[in-house]
Amino acid sequence: MELIENTTCFGGKNAVYRHRSDACGCDMTFGIYLPPQAETTSVPVLWYLSGLTCTHENAMSKAGLQQYAAKRGLALVFPDTSPRGEDVADDEAYDLGQGAGFYVNATQRPWAPHFRMYDYVTRELYALVCGAFPVTEKQGITGHSMGGHGALTLAIQNPEQFRSVSAFAPITNPTKSDWGRKQLAAYIGTDETMWRDYDASRLLRSKGWQQDILVDQGGEDQFLDLLRPQELVEAAKDVSVPLSYRAHSGYNHSYYFVASFAEEHVNWHADRLRGPAA
């Protein structure tokens, strides 16, 4: 790994690294925050997956998660949202290609050689983080929008890795949404039976979830029709999974919304990964 940036933040260290990814076939960048507790002991991890057009940097700078992670002794990992580089396929649209990996393993050209964000996050980067930093196997995952979709689908499919999951305004039913059908058709192909593993509402019905789930949604979110949160609510009811779904009047889809509830999400994960605060 190449260290790009290392700064002190709330008594811990905020760092950015670049490394060669075998999964994505290109250089990848990620951010990590190690709280002050990590200087003397290994700590649990909360993964944060970002949304469309974002890099690792957006949440590191705008979500304000570090101050709360420092108090509760959680490391934070901020992956990028897609592979990048001159030889990596792209599209003129903001919601396809670089910056829009959707946390899937692409099987269709021109995306298949690089767009393997599912394997990158759950296999390659997970192993790298566990091997290179003072962290434990107690890990949770959250994310915003496209990243909320990623957090839910990755957790439901990998309960042995992620012990807690939450989301901010997630895309919950992409097989029925324009934020999903376009991308899944491009990355996975037109056979819709192959899309099921990347739809949180369908996965929850078929696989369930061993713990509870927290989802926050802005009541004035301009993309509410694309996110389809009610589908996840209904799926959780159908399989008796405890889902705390909170709609907040006045909030939209921005990082102002994420930052407003960041402390509650960090504490929620910390309670499940470390135990309730004293």
Side-chain angles (χ1 to χ4, degrees):
M1 293 186 296
E2 175 190 359
L3 179 63
I4 299 174
E5 176 183 326
N6 190 24
T7 57
T8 300
C9 181
F10 293 100
K13 292 296 183 180
N14 224 35
V16 178
Y17 290 89
R18 181 185 297 116
H19 70 108
R20 186 68 183 178
S21 167
D22 291 333
C24 296
C26 63
D27 288 343
M28 295 292 289
T29 303
F30 71 95
I32 185 167
Y33 176 71
L34 294 174
Q37 295 88 337
E39 293 184 4
T40 57
T41 188
S42 295
V43 297
V45 183
L46 176 58
W47 292 70
Y48 182 98
L49 303 185
S50 293
L52 288 166
T53 76
C54 292
T55 69
H56 68 277
E57 191 271 338
N58 295 75
M60 291 185 76
S61 299
K62 297 179 180 180
L65 297 165
Q66 292 93 328
Q67 59 185 311
Y68 312 119
K71 293 178 182 178
R72 297 300 303 272
L74 291 185
L76 302 169
V77 176
F78 304 93
D80 202 347
T81 54
S82 79
R84 300 180 191 272
E86 292 184 1
D87 62 338
V88 175
D90 201 5
D91 191 272
E92 293 182 357
Y94 75 95
D95 58 354
L96 188 68
Q98 296 187 33
F102 267 76
Y103 305 100
V104 305
N105 282 340
T107 60
Q108 305 299 301
R109 300 196 67 86
W111 314 106
H114 300 287
F115 280 72
R116 302 189 62 80
M117 290 300 294
Y118 178 92
D119 280 354
Y120 173 68
V121 173
T122 62
R123 304 293 180 260
E124 186 173 36
L125 187 57
Y126 185 92
L128 189 156
V129 167
C130 290
F133 300 100
V135 300
T136 72
E137 293 183 352
K138 293 182 177 180
Q139 306 201 14
I141 190 167
T142 188
H144 174 230
S145 192
M146 178 185 74
H149 142 79
L152 291 165
T153 56
L154 269 56
I156 293 170
Q157 293 206 74
N158 298 277
E160 74 286 355
Q161 290 181 240
F162 302 110
R163 303 189 184 188
S164 57
V165 61
S166 71
F168 301 86
I171 302 170
T172 69
N173 190 205
T175 61
K176 301 295 184 181
S177 169
D178 287 345
W179 269 1
R181 294 187 62 81
K182 169 186 175 180
Q183 293 81 5
L184 293 173
Y187 295 143
I188 311 298
T190 56
D191 181 357
E192 297 188 20
T193 63
M194 305 301 292
W195 300 358
R196 291 174 294 188
D197 287 345
Y198 301 113
D199 186 303
S201 297
R202 297 179 71 172
L203 277 172
L204 193 59
R205 282 194 170 94
S206 64
K207 293 181 177 291
W209 176 249
Q210 73 273 26
Q211 303 295 334
D212 51 352
I213 300 172
L214 172 64
V215 172
D216 279 309
Q217 174 63 58
E220 275 59 61
D221 193 314
Q222 59 270 44
F223 304 113
L224 197 58
D225 60 326
L226 298 171
L227 304 174
R228 298 174 62 87
Q230 197 58 38
E231 297 295 332
L232 187 70
V233 172
E234 294 300 322
K237 288 180 180 178
D238 289 346
V239 294
S240 300
V241 171
L243 170 64
S244 178
Y245 173 76
R246 310 187 303 183
H248 302 279
S249 177
Y251 289 91
N252 62 16
H253 199 69
S254 70
Y255 264 96
Y256 297 115
F257 158 67
V258 175
S260 296
F261 301 100
E263 180 177 15
E264 294 178 46
H265 280 250
V266 170
N267 286 336
W268 189 87
H269 284 276
D271 287 348
R272 286 150 183 78
L273 299 174
R274 297 189 65 100

